[in-house]
Amino acid sequence: MEKFIILGERIQIMSPEVKQAFIDRDPEPILSRAKDQLAAGAHYLDLNIGPASKNGEELMVWGVKLLQENFDNVPVALDTVNAKAIEAGLAVYNRSKGKPIINSADAGDRIGMIDLAADNDAIIIALCCAAGVPKDNDERMEYCQTMLERGLSLGMEPEDLWFDPLTLVIKGMQEKQLEFLEFIRQLTDMGLNSTAGISNASNGMPDALRPLVNRILLAMAMEAGLSSVILDPGAPEIMDVVRTVNVVLGRTLYADSYLEL
Amino acid sequence: MPFKHNPQVFSSSIGETVLGTGEKALTLGGENVWSLYSFDGAVKNPPAVGIEFSDQGPDRSLPGVAAAYEGAETLAELAKKAEQVPGVQFVAFRLAGSDPNGDNESVADSVAKVKEVADAISLPLVVTGSNNIDKDAELLPKVAEALQGKNALLLNAKEENYKGIAVAAVTAYGQKVSGESAVDINLAKQLNVLFSQLGIKNENLVENLGQGVVGYGFEYIISTVERVKLAALTQNDAALQIPVISPISTEAWTVKESLATEEEIPEWGSREERGIGLEVSTAVASIAAGSNAVILMHPASVATVSKLIAELV
């Protein structure tokens, strides 16, 4: 991809405020989070409605329309395991500012999401796992190949599959971190797009440490070739890291005010 | 194997900046292909050619120049002759007399000169100041005020004086302004960022990336222009999607190869031919690297470069 893509992660059901807003169909907290993330530099907004087994379709339609109508058809990542909800969201999605992203498929039970992406000309985030954490990169690569072949056989362009190596917590799985970076490098060497939920790595750490850890891991993953990321662009200095790495990697021409751009 | 043509047409493009008014208005930039690559895609606005003369009058020791300005004495007469030179699309007027290290003319005198030139021509006008930072900071806003309605381009807004010049030229008096950086890509971008932070849009900007002449570290200038266009077209860098203007004449006619007389160095031959050669080769190389407008002095250079552009685009 020409530029490093930021998916803003803050509209998600795990947040009590967002959850309540979904229940009440209260636009305000959602719009406020969307606005902050776009101002901070998000290109896509992730809309995580959770499993939403009861009223997922209606909720996804409400969310997609709310975001796109208020923010000039901002591109959205439709984030749920509920395929019907995704289909309903795609039906009202406006593509003028970018293709929709489906978040996400895996190589196990959720592989059908790739079919959904193929049928709807959407981008799919493809988690390189099936059940549980892959034991090594060989296993990750098998999943990646399976999903890539499925997408291609259904007529998808390879660049519309964004492979997620699965970010693992550092605290407890320290030995997996190098593997994670190596896998991004392998995807990059294959010319494939990638994405990652970087902040998962610092889960369980004291709050004071998390921003630093996220910043450093993001810089290292970008150097390995990561082509997009799912994060909170309003987190302290995280976008400064993106801008600085883009300068160091030569994606952006340096100017003294580069952090303000 | 047969040749397969893969056109390089970029999804980003250089912005357009319009100079002058009415039928003779000139649009610079707008391309989404490499310079002159008309075989890849339409070149929206071909590179433009302008002719420059200064308030010190033309160098009549050069027969070609003397012929072009024959009979013209006042600035208004000179300006009229300049715009009639075949191939000319804009007139560049240099306020050499305002230089504090030279004649140090008053701002009022310089402004009166610019006004005389502007009122005599219908082609777009480009004004070069004193090339002194403090003097230009004082002079160029007054020039901008005097040229209201002309949509002229003022060169020479530098890092040290850009603010007052840009605000006066664009915001207050509706002119166009060009940042000037001395072969420094990062500063070139920074200046454009600073303009945008003043609320000035790209459509009111041109950029002068610094100029030199072939044989004098010219490769560095070429690579700067190319790098800027690369960022603008392949990296969609909005701060660099601005037409580039290259003031060739002041460089081409101020080096030893174009100054030494035939009496001094007989084996070099005609001074006029040497200067034209330098001017043409510098201009063509600058255009090939991505420049959207060249400022030339000699009518023969104007004829040659404009013919080349017309045949290639």
XYZ file of all heavy atoms in Angstrom, chain A residues 1-3 246-247 249-261, chain B residues 11-12 159 185-186 189-190 193-194 197 227-228 231 234-237 240:
289
model
N 0.838 -1.189 0.000
C 0.000 0.000 0.000
C 0.874 1.240 0.000
O 1.980 1.225 0.519
C -0.908 -0.021 1.229
C -2.094 -0.957 1.047
S -3.258 -0.910 2.411
C -2.366 -1.740 3.708
N 0.337 2.303 -0.573
C 1.134 3.515 -0.688
C 1.427 4.128 0.671
O 2.481 4.661 0.911
C 0.410 4.537 -1.560
C 0.604 4.268 -3.041
C -0.094 5.296 -3.899
O -0.408 6.379 -3.396
O -0.313 4.977 -5.071
N 0.444 4.083 1.544
C 0.683 4.695 2.848
C 0.281 3.733 3.959
O -0.484 2.794 3.749
C -0.063 6.018 2.970
C -1.572 5.891 2.963
C -2.223 7.246 3.191
C -3.731 7.124 3.151
N -4.421 8.397 3.216
N 7.618 6.831 9.312
C 7.412 7.123 7.885
C 8.532 7.986 7.320
O 8.926 7.823 6.169
C 6.056 7.811 7.666
C 4.905 6.806 7.654
O 5.116 5.628 7.368
N 3.711 7.271 7.945
N 9.046 8.884 8.136
C 10.173 9.707 7.688
C 11.437 8.847 7.592
O 12.147 8.860 6.583
C 10.390 10.906 8.642
C 11.767 11.523 8.447
C 9.313 11.966 8.412
N 11.745 5.695 7.190
C 11.662 4.721 6.099
C 11.549 5.388 4.728
O 11.467 4.705 3.715
C 10.462 3.783 6.309
C 10.521 2.883 7.545
C 9.269 2.010 7.628
C 11.765 1.997 7.532
N 11.535 6.709 4.704
C 11.507 7.428 3.426
C 10.143 7.469 2.761
O 10.036 7.778 1.587
N 9.088 7.204 3.523
C 7.751 7.262 2.932
C 7.240 8.690 2.871
O 6.320 9.001 2.141
C 6.756 6.464 3.784
C 6.924 4.984 3.678
C 5.780 4.337 4.470
N 5.971 2.929 4.579
C 5.802 2.228 5.692
N 5.448 2.840 6.805
N 5.987 0.935 5.697
N 7.781 9.528 3.732
C 7.401 10.936 3.772
C 8.671 11.762 3.733
O 9.628 11.429 4.426
C 6.687 11.272 5.106
O 5.673 10.312 5.342
C 6.073 12.649 5.064
N 8.653 12.807 2.932
C 9.809 13.695 2.897
C 9.839 14.527 4.177
O 8.831 15.096 4.576
C 9.729 14.598 1.664
C 10.935 15.494 1.422
C 12.188 14.677 1.171
C 10.674 16.426 0.265
N 10.992 14.589 4.805
C 11.137 15.331 6.053
C 10.942 16.835 5.843
O 11.401 17.398 4.858
C 12.526 15.085 6.660
C 12.778 15.935 7.873
C 12.349 15.516 9.128
C 13.385 17.178 7.759
C 12.528 16.319 10.237
C 13.575 17.988 8.870
C 13.148 17.552 10.107
O 13.319 18.352 11.201
N 10.260 17.463 6.800
C 10.245 18.926 6.936
C 10.186 19.175 8.427
O 9.656 18.344 9.173
C 9.025 19.530 6.258
N 10.706 20.331 8.894
C 10.764 20.563 10.341
C 9.397 20.380 11.018
O 9.331 19.969 12.161
C 11.308 21.970 10.635
C 12.811 22.056 10.371
O 13.441 20.993 10.179
O 13.354 23.179 10.350
N 8.337 20.694 10.304
C 6.989 20.582 10.892
C 6.335 19.236 10.624
O 5.111 19.136 10.652
C 6.089 21.690 10.347
O 6.602 22.952 10.680
N 7.118 18.188 10.370
C 6.489 16.942 9.924
C 5.509 16.363 10.941
O 4.550 15.700 10.572
C 7.539 15.894 9.515
C 8.170 15.125 10.652
C 7.626 13.918 11.095
C 9.308 15.600 11.291
C 8.195 13.213 12.143
C 9.882 14.905 12.337
C 9.323 13.711 12.765
O 9.879 13.018 13.798
N 5.708 16.622 12.213
C 4.771 16.082 13.214
C 3.409 16.765 13.154
O 2.420 16.224 13.631
C 5.346 16.237 14.632
C 6.520 15.339 14.994
C 6.950 15.602 16.438
C 6.180 13.872 14.811
N 3.366 17.938 12.546
C 2.100 18.678 12.480
C 1.291 18.312 11.241
O 0.183 18.802 11.051
C 2.371 20.184 12.472
C 2.995 20.685 13.766
C 3.775 21.975 13.559
O 3.330 22.825 12.794
O 4.860 22.108 14.169
N 1.861 17.477 10.376
C 1.164 17.176 9.116
C 0.267 15.961 9.246
O 0.542 15.061 9.994
C 2.191 16.947 8.010
C 3.047 18.155 7.691
C 4.073 17.799 6.637
C 2.197 19.323 7.209
N -1.905 8.465 -9.399
C -3.222 8.831 -8.883
C -3.170 10.216 -8.218
O -4.189 10.862 -8.045
C -3.732 7.782 -7.900
O -2.782 7.576 -6.881
N -1.982 10.659 -7.866
C -1.818 12.019 -7.342
C -1.407 12.941 -8.494
O -0.887 12.473 -9.494
C -0.719 12.061 -6.292
O -0.967 11.129 -5.277
N 12.637 31.668 4.052
C 12.365 31.236 5.419
C 12.343 32.429 6.380
O 11.539 32.478 7.297
C 13.457 30.236 5.834
C 13.163 29.491 7.097
C 14.303 28.537 7.476
O 15.417 28.681 6.917
O 14.081 27.663 8.317
N 15.613 20.214 -0.118
C 14.263 19.658 -0.260
C 13.447 19.785 1.013
O 12.259 20.027 0.976
C 14.255 18.160 -0.684
C 15.327 17.364 0.030
C 14.359 18.004 -2.163
C 15.257 15.886 -0.272
N 14.111 19.614 2.149
C 13.376 19.659 3.413
C 12.872 21.066 3.708
O 11.755 21.244 4.195
C 14.255 19.150 4.551
C 14.802 17.765 4.252
O 16.006 17.579 4.133
N 13.922 16.804 4.080
N 9.893 21.876 1.392
C 8.629 21.361 1.928
C 8.177 22.189 3.129
O 7.003 22.544 3.247
C 8.797 19.893 2.324
C 7.547 19.301 2.958
C 7.635 17.802 3.119
C 6.443 17.280 3.915
N 6.429 15.822 4.010
N 9.131 22.492 4.009
C 8.804 23.231 5.224
C 8.159 24.581 4.890
O 7.177 24.987 5.519
C 10.066 23.431 6.069
C 9.864 24.221 7.354
C 8.998 23.487 8.372
O 8.697 22.305 8.212
N 8.580 24.181 9.412
N 4.667 24.100 3.988
C 3.876 23.799 5.182
C 3.577 25.101 5.930
O 2.446 25.341 6.367
C 4.627 22.811 6.106
C 3.890 22.651 7.430
C 4.805 21.460 5.423
N 4.579 25.947 6.044
C 4.386 27.219 6.746
C 3.353 28.088 6.031
O 2.506 28.719 6.669
C 5.722 27.964 6.867
C 6.770 27.290 7.765
C 8.130 27.971 7.627
C 6.330 27.286 9.226
N 0.041 26.800 6.877
C -0.334 27.145 8.255
C -0.766 28.610 8.380
O -1.367 29.004 9.371
C 0.811 26.818 9.222
C 0.972 25.291 9.366
C 2.132 24.877 10.244
O 3.041 25.674 10.514
N 2.133 23.626 10.681
N 13.273 14.768 -6.720
C 12.834 14.228 -5.431
C 11.521 14.868 -4.991
O 10.644 14.207 -4.430
C 13.926 14.455 -4.378
C 13.575 13.948 -2.989
C 13.503 12.431 -2.941
N 13.106 11.948 -1.627
C 11.833 11.796 -1.237
N 10.853 12.110 -2.069
N 11.549 11.346 -0.041
N 11.393 16.158 -5.239
C 10.164 16.866 -4.888
C 8.986 16.320 -5.696
O 7.907 16.051 -5.160
C 10.349 18.385 -5.110
C 9.006 19.101 -5.195
C 11.201 18.974 -3.988
N 7.979 12.822 -4.456
C 7.162 12.860 -3.238
C 5.737 13.307 -3.576
O 4.762 12.774 -3.055
C 7.783 13.804 -2.213
N 4.270 10.234 -6.193
C 4.213 8.838 -5.735
C 3.851 8.727 -4.264
O 3.391 7.683 -3.827
C 5.544 8.095 -5.974
O 6.529 8.612 -5.077
C 6.025 8.247 -7.394
N 4.069 9.774 -3.480
C 3.746 9.707 -2.050
C 2.583 10.621 -1.681
O 2.277 10.794 -0.512
C 4.980 10.044 -1.214
C 6.142 9.075 -1.479
C 7.385 9.390 -0.670
O 7.717 10.546 -0.461
N 8.087 8.348 -0.235
N 1.969 11.205 -2.690
C 0.803 12.069 -2.483
C 1.071 13.129 -1.410
O 0.236 13.375 -0.550
C -0.415 11.217 -2.113
C -1.709 12.013 -2.205
O -1.789 12.980 -2.963
N -2.700 11.627 -1.419
N 2.253 13.727 -1.472
C 2.647 14.718 -0.467
C 2.075 16.085 -0.847
O 2.596 16.780 -1.714
C 4.175 14.777 -0.380
C 4.646 15.504 0.861
O 3.923 16.419 1.327
O 5.726 15.170 1.367
N 3.962 19.321 -1.412
C 4.857 19.484 -2.570
C 4.111 19.415 -3.893
O 4.728 19.423 -4.961
C 5.959 18.417 -2.514
C 6.892 18.585 -1.316
C 7.725 17.349 -1.085
C 7.796 19.798 -1.493
